[in-house]
Amino acid sequence: MTTYERNTPTMKSIALLALLVLGLTWTATAQPLAVDAKAGLSVLTGGGGSTALLFGAGVEIPIQSNLIFRPELDLTTHSGTPVEIAGLVKYTLPAGTASIPLYIDGGLSAWFYSGGSSLGMDFGGGTYFSAGGGKTQIPLEIRLGPIFNSNSSSFQLSLATGIRFSLGD
């Protein structure tokens, strides 16, 4: 075993750390967890550019009253079937600024596709529309940011909607 292999975190240690963070943040706030599924369009520039379908899911883990950590998994139908794993921080704007709830978010992502992997940065925002009660909402979001490959970079723009369920009171 090389020094690099000994010092590289394993998936098991990363998963345990994620569960620890989830447990600590969930018990530290009165806000409930939320889960969602989404679908939309993804536009990539670079290499001729392409437009594809996007499907994804995420978990919203409250940190403070207006601050949420959001791990997310997105799949697209672009060439090479890219899969994005993102870690985002979402900030809900105070209620007095708009008649509908608005949020901004940003974070880092890892892209995996046939032929390699890339690092990305996501920035965006959106809103939630009530749907049939207090625990179900319809999110509408826009997200954009660069994706850095080893020898080039591209830019992603995505528009998505879906359904969001609150798991608490």
Side-chain angles (χ1 to χ4, degrees):
M1 181 179 288
T2 67
T3 303
Y4 175 76
E5 291 171 329
R6 279 191 303 255
N7 294 330
T8 303
T10 65
M11 283 302 262
K12 185 177 179 181
S13 63
I14 292 171
L16 288 172
L17 179 62
L19 286 173
L20 177 65
V21 169
L22 172 64
L24 291 175
T25 57
W26 192 9
T27 58
T29 182
Q31 285 185 340
L33 285 172
V35 295
D36 67 48
K38 66 181 179 179
L41 291 176
S42 172
V43 178
L44 286 178
T45 65
S50 65
T51 302
L53 297 176
L54 174 139
F55 303 97
V59 177
E60 296 189 353
I61 305 166
I63 299 171
Q64 294 178 353
S65 62
N66 287 1
L67 197 60
I68 295 168
F69 173 66
R70 178 180 168 80
E72 172 175 297
L73 176 70
D74 294 328
L75 310 167
T76 70
T77 60
H78 289 288
S79 176
T81 317
V83 174
E84 177 188 25
I85 300 173
L88 305 171
V89 175
K90 181 183 283 190
Y91 177 74
T92 304
L93 299 173
T97 57
S99 60
I100 57 174
L102 298 173
Y103 64 85
I104 56 174
D105 60 7
L108 296 176
S109 62
W111 287 77
F112 302 96
Y113 49 93
S114 59
S117 60
S118 303
L119 178 67
M121 296 171 64
D122 289 328
F123 304 99
T127 188
Y128 301 114
F129 297 99
S130 183
K135 292 189 174 194
T136 306
Q137 295 176 315
I138 298 174
L140 180 61
E141 72 176 21
I142 183 170
R143 184 125 2 113
L144 52 107
I147 302 170
F148 304 103
N149 300 314
S150 59
N151 57 0
S152 67
S153 64
S154 57
F155 195 82
Q156 180 204 21
L157 169 68
S158 66
L159 302 170
T161 189
I163 190 142
R164 179 181 185 267
F165 300 100
S166 177
L167 300 178
D169 295 333

